[in-house]
């Protein structure tokens, strides 16, 4: 504990931001999400999750306590839980009635109504074979909780909406020989009666879809960045460690800290799992502090998921219309890394390649970046058109205003939530430019932007790459292609 505090203070001091170790404030739950109206729960603002699970022979046992603030009077309240059998519920230590409703509602009736503004704890005991979409089981007996937009409710009762961020403690009990990796900082491991107990403490608010537990026969490698920030890399059964990729992490974090503002968390790392074996596992997700990758990672894929630690994790969606505030930025961050590391000419390679793609794909412009529509919350347009938009914005307002906006965004919404329209306002404010037309054409339209907004500044005259040239820049090392859906 003492070491952790010293490291946090040292990191903050090195980064010159003393206020960083201030306690986080959890955000409030919203009402119905426009895309997932059943997600989240009115009147419930979860402040902290204390999730305890056991995993053995394909069966999960759970004993989870949530600390909640009532934002309305609650004669009863809802949480989200998919499948699993609930055996008992307490509210502040007293047995409570409960029932299941709809696809994933757990409705709890306390012995006495909870008054508006009160803080209370509810303990839920549950178990069974997980059936939710976010729980993946390996042939070797291991398991992984991973999925966006939904995964949390497959292994713990949650207020499953990104607007309700909370601190998160995980206790995972597994048979000896297995390792459980979670978010946040590891606490001492305990063993008893053939079981090993792993505990992880995430003390910054985290959105539910960014929480994870990975249970495997991990090889764990620990080291430190030059500034002392701890790094932890976990490689699942059958995955070879990648020390050369690990070595890129401090460089990526240093670059992004310069461009976006201080790294938001006190540690960094990655989890690599053999996702193909379990089937239907996302290629990579930016699980907080420690993104999870299928198969392995390299510097460019790391740069995307590490950029999410700022965009999506520190500053999270207001609702699922806001995918761009995570994916547009993380995808563009790949280019920022390539520009810094490999001297990539973003105008004449990246942007020219995207112009070519826009000619070859008749649907390229057809999706709005803000509010793309239900089922399109992580549409490929957020990555392709979205990263193009940010490069055009940078050329429109200049580097000082562009990166100044990103830093203000991170500072103003620390540990919080914001929407893409909030970003539009901030960019206009910081740059002093009227960007209404720019964002109308790029983010709220389904057609190609006018030339003034498509080719501002040094992009004037940039032409699409020839169709037979698939180069994405000089100096880029030969690395595996990403074929499965990006997250
Ligand atoms: Zn992403």
């Amino acid at each position: 504990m003492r070491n952790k505090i010293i490291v946090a203070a040292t990191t903050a001091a090195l980064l010159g931001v003393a206020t960083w170790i201030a306690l986080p404030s959890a955000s409030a739950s919203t009402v119905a999400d426009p895309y997932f109206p059943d997600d989240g729960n009115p009147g419930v603002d979860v402040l902290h999750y204390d999730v305890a699970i056991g995993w053995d022979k394909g069966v999960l046992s759970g004993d989870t306590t949530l600390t909640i603030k009532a934002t309305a009077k609650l004669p009863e309240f809802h949480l989200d839980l998919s499948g699993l059998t609930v055996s008992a519920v307490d509210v502040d230590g007293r047995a409570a009635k409960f029932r299941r409703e709809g696809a994933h509602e757990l409705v709890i009736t306390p012995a006495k109504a909870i008054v508006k503004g009160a803080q209370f704890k509810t303990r839920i005991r549950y178990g069974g074979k997980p059936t939710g979409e976010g729980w993946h089981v390996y042939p070797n007996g291991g398991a992984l909780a991973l999925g966006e937009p939904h995964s949390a409710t497959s292994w713990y009762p949650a207020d499953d909406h990104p607007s309700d961020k909370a601190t998160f403690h995980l206790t995972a009990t597994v048979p000896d020989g297995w390792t459980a990796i979670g978010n946040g900082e590891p606490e001492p491991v305990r063993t008893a009666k053939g079981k090993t107990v792993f505990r992880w403490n995430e003390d910054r608010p985290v959105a539910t879809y960014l929480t994870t537990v990975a249970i495997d026969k991990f090889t764990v490698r620990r080291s430190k960045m030059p500034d002392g920030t701890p790094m932890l890399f976990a490689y699942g059964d059958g995955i070879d460690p990648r020390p050369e990729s690990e070595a890129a992490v401090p460089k990526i974090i240093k670059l992004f800290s310069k461009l976006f503002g201080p790294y938001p968390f006190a540690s960094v790392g990655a989890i690599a799992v053999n996702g193909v074996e379990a089937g239907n596992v996302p290629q990579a997700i930016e699980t907080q502090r420690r993104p999870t990758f299928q198969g392995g990672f390299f510097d460019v894929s790391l740069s995307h998921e590490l950029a999410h630690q700022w965009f999506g994790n520190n500053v999270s969606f207001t609702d699922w219309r806001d995918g761009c505030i995570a994916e547009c930025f993380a995808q563009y961050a790949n280019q920022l890394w390539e520009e810094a590391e490999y001297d990539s000419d973003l105008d004449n390679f990246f942007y020219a390649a995207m112009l070519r793609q826009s000619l070859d794909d008749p649907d390229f412009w057809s999706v709005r970046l803000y509010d793309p529509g239900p089922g399109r919350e992580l549409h490929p347009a957020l990555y392709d058109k979205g990263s193009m938009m940010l490069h055009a914005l940078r050329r429109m307002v200049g580097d000082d205003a562009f990166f100044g906006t990103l830093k203000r965004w991170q500072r103003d919404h620390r540990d919080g939530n914001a929407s893409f329209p909030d970003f539009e306002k901030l960019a206009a404010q910081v740059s002093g430019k009227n960007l209404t037309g720019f964002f109308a054409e790029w983010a709220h339209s389904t057609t190609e932007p006018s030339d003034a907004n498509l080719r501002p500044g040094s992009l004037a005259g940039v032409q699409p790459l020839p169709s037979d040239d698939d180069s994405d820049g000089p100096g880029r090392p030969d690395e595996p292609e990403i074929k499965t859906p990006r997250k």
Side-chain angles (χ1 to χ4, degrees):
M1 192 52 154
R2 196 175 61 166
N3 281 345
K4 193 177 78 182
I5 290 167
I6 289 168
V7 168
T10 304
T11 306
L14 282 169
L15 297 169
V17 184
T19 53
W20 258 44
I21 41 181
L23 281 175
S25 62
S27 50
S29 179
T30 62
V31 289
D33 187 275
Y35 296 178
F36 302 104
D38 293 339
D39 289 5
N41 300 286
V44 167
D45 175 9
V46 179
L47 306 176
H48 180 69
Y49 289 93
D50 192 352
V51 175
I53 63 158
W55 176 252
D56 194 6
K57 301 184 179 70
V59 175
L60 183 145
S61 55
D63 185 350
T64 288
T65 298
L66 284 66
T67 305
I68 296 174
K69 184 178 176 193
T71 58
K73 185 185 175 188
L74 297 175
E76 64 176 31
F77 60 95
H78 289 224
L79 296 172
D80 302 305
L81 182 68
S82 298
L84 300 169
T85 301
V86 175
S87 55
V89 177
D90 294 351
V91 173
D92 282 338
R94 293 180 68 184
K97 290 185 183 152
F98 61 92
R99 64 182 192 273
R100 309 297 290 271
E101 277 181 7
H104 52 64
E105 301 300 306
L106 169 62
V107 186
I108 297 171
T109 309
K112 200 173 148 213
I114 293 154
V115 299
K116 182 179 176 182
Q119 190 173 313
F120 65 98
K121 287 181 194 270
T122 183
R123 177 182 179 193
I124 297 110
R125 277 160 281 186
Y126 57 100
K129 287 193 185 226
T131 53
E133 61 188 289
W135 190 264
H136 310 277
V137 180
Y138 294 94
N140 73 355
L144 171 69
L146 197 71
E148 184 185 1
H150 301 112
S151 54
T153 64
S154 65
W155 61 293
Y156 63 91
D159 187 34
D160 194 23
H161 193 269
S163 63
D164 190 1
K165 297 163 75 169
T167 52
F168 193 90
H169 188 274
L170 169 67
T171 304
T173 303
V174 293
D176 286 348
W178 294 85
T179 299
I181 307 281
N183 308 95
E185 301 309 303
E187 294 176 347
V189 172
R190 296 183 299 219
T191 55
K193 298 177 186 164
K195 303 270 190 182
T196 309
V197 182
F198 294 87
R199 292 175 298 155
W200 296 85
N201 185 38
E202 175 51 85
D203 64 359
R204 310 300 312 193
V206 56
T208 48
Y209 80 94
L210 298 170
T211 63
T212 190
V213 61
I215 300 163
D216 205 341
K217 308 224 167 176
F218 279 109
T219 300
V220 175
R221 290 166 48 87
R222 299 172 77 153
S223 53
K224 281 196 161 85
M225 300 210 323
D227 72 0
T229 303
M231 300 201 290
L232 187 152
F233 298 90
Y235 299 90
D237 211 0
I239 306 287
D240 291 330
R242 301 189 74 139
E244 73 288 356
S245 300
E246 293 175 16
V249 169
K251 292 173 78 176
I252 295 169
I253 295 291
K254 189 176 172 197
L255 172 69
F256 290 171
S257 298
K258 190 178 94 185
L259 300 178
F260 310 151
Y263 175 66
F265 304 109
S267 64
V268 68
I271 303 168
V273 290
N274 198 346
V276 178
E277 270 195 21
N280 201 28
V281 180
Q283 193 258 337
I285 290 189
E286 60 272 22
T287 40
Q288 192 145 305
R289 295 189 193 213
R290 204 161 286 123
T292 305
F293 296 85
Q294 193 186 115
F297 45 78
F298 62 103
D299 65 329
V300 176
S301 63
L302 279 165
S303 73
H304 179 108
E305 305 303 337
L306 292 176
H308 271 307
Q309 305 303 314
W310 283 264
F311 296 97
N313 296 24
N314 181 41
V315 186
S316 304
F317 315 138
T318 297
D319 60 51
W320 286 103
R321 293 175 297 182
D322 284 317
C324 186
I325 69 160
E327 299 307 342
C328 298
F329 292 85
Q331 191 71 4
Y332 187 53
N334 280 1
Q335 300 304 325
L336 297 173
W337 167 250
E338 299 219 16
E339 181 180 46
E341 183 68 7
Y342 304 117
D343 273 333
S344 185
D345 175 346
L346 298 194
D347 287 0
N348 293 301
F349 285 92
F350 159 68
Y351 207 81
M354 297 311 294
L355 287 171
R356 162 53 51 192
Q357 194 176 323
S358 76
L359 292 179
D360 293 345
D361 176 0
D363 295 326
F364 188 88
W365 301 108
S366 69
V367 174
R368 292 189 303 271
L369 296 175
Y370 175 66
D371 194 7
R376 293 174 155 191
E377 57 279 349
L378 297 169
H379 191 279
L382 270 53
Y383 302 77
D384 301 333
K385 184 180 166 185
S387 54
M388 259 185 113
M389 169 183 71
L390 291 175
H391 191 61
L393 176 64
R394 181 179 166 193
R395 293 299 186 244
M396 174 73 84
V397 301
D399 276 10
D400 285 354
F402 180 75
F403 293 110
T405 302
L406 301 193
K407 289 193 186 92
R408 265 285 296 280
W409 180 248
Q410 292 297 321
R411 204 167 63 228
D412 288 0
H413 302 291
R414 170 85 171 126
D415 286 326
N417 299 81
S419 70
F420 192 75
D422 293 334
F423 180 81
E424 295 175 33
K425 284 190 208 109
L426 184 65
Q429 188 191 332
V430 173
S431 68
K433 285 189 184 325
N434 182 343
L435 299 171
T436 309
F438 178 90
F439 285 118
E441 290 187 14
W442 272 103
H444 303 278
S445 161
T446 57
T447 55
E448 184 176 358
S450 62
D451 208 59
N453 288 324
L454 186 63
R455 290 184 174 83
S458 62
L459 291 169
V462 170
Q463 294 304 313
L465 284 183
S467 54
D468 58 352
D469 184 349
D470 64 356
S471 165
D472 44 11
R476 164 93 173 260
D478 199 17
E479 286 290 354
E481 263 187 75
I482 295 171
K483 292 202 173 66
T484 43
R486 297 161 293 186
K487 294 288 176 71

